[in-house]
Amino acid sequence: DEFSKDEEFRRRFQAESQSVAMLSHPNIVSVYDVSSSGDIDYIVMELIDGITLRQYMEKKGVLNWRETLHFSMQIAHSRGIIHRDIKPHNIMVLKNGSVKVTDFGIARVVSSQSTLTREALGSVHYISPEQAKGGRVDNRTDIYSLGVVMYEMLTGRPPYDGETPVSVAIQH
């Protein structure tokens, strides 16, 4: 509802969603349709039979290096795509042990409408230094965020924590 009257947001949502729908990779969630009905824009995506990496880590605890590497190699696909929001909440672990990255492109549209504080509430622990500064991002952004996710898989906690999102972003 909060973006339904924002024509620029809706235009960008459609454009980004169409771009995401053209991606095809075994470790990226498939997008089957992008459409709208009245004031509601929506995306039809592949149904994933699994849990988020966040839920997996909460259930299993600290992961060993083999499992961490197994998941990380699947996340670090080389498709030239910049995700901008790599975090355990956006990675699905399937029942067969493979992973799929979700939320491609959509994070970029939403984050452009958000303040650092609002966006950072869920992502600040995985944010790259250039994102924290509001700078230009490239594939190194995702590499940094994947490194933070790997650290958390191996230790059970993110490398930086603090009382506010801004204090965590400053540490990055």
Side-chain angles (χ1 to χ4, degrees):
D1 280 346
E2 85 180 274
F3 298 118
S4 67
K5 303 292 185 232
D6 184 338
E7 289 304 317
E8 175 62 13
F9 175 83
R10 292 183 74 189
R11 184 194 64 72
R12 291 187 63 216
F13 177 86
Q14 285 288 326
E16 291 289 339
S17 300
Q18 291 293 344
S19 296
V20 173
M22 294 189 312
L23 299 176
S24 178
H25 190 278
N27 299 113
I28 298 174
V29 68
S30 297
V31 173
Y32 298 126
D33 190 22
V34 178
S35 193
S36 60
S37 177
D39 284 347
I40 298 173
D41 296 293
Y42 61 90
I43 302 171
V44 179
M45 302 171 83
E46 169 185 11
L47 177 63
I48 304 293
D49 188 14
I51 59 175
T52 67
L53 180 57
R54 162 65 53 227
Q55 293 167 320
Y56 185 85
M57 290 188 306
E58 287 170 356
K59 182 177 167 182
K60 190 158 184 190
V62 174
L63 307 185
N64 66 45
W65 69 269
R66 283 185 178 91
E67 194 166 30
T68 298
L69 187 60
H70 171 72
F71 289 157
S72 299
M73 293 302 292
Q74 295 175 69
I75 297 164
H77 51 78
S78 56
R79 301 289 292 186
I81 305 156
I82 304 169
H83 186 283
R84 302 171 194 237
D85 198 20
I86 296 289
K87 60 185 178 184
H89 309 77
N90 290 341
I91 300 163
M92 297 294 296
V93 179
L94 285 66
K95 292 190 179 204
N96 68 6
S98 65
V99 298
K100 289 201 180 240
V101 180
T102 66
D103 198 23
F104 263 90
I106 308 312
R108 179 174 33 208
V109 176
V110 174
S111 69
S112 71
Q113 301 287 324
S114 305
T115 64
L116 172 62
T117 304
R118 191 163 142 214
E119 177 187 334
L121 288 174
S123 303
V124 73
H125 289 95
Y126 311 95
I127 197 169
S128 67
E130 59 273 17
Q131 284 176 298
K133 293 176 185 174
R136 186 172 151 330
V137 299
D138 58 26
N139 63 323
R140 293 172 292 183
T141 297
D142 289 348
I143 294 168
Y144 182 90
S145 298
L146 177 57
V148 173
V149 172
M150 291 174 71
Y151 181 95
E152 186 174 2
M153 284 191 276
L154 291 167
T155 66
R157 62 177 186 80
Y160 306 114
D161 204 5
E163 300 214 4
T164 67
V166 172
S167 70
V168 177
I170 288 169
Q171 292 176 72
H172 283 286

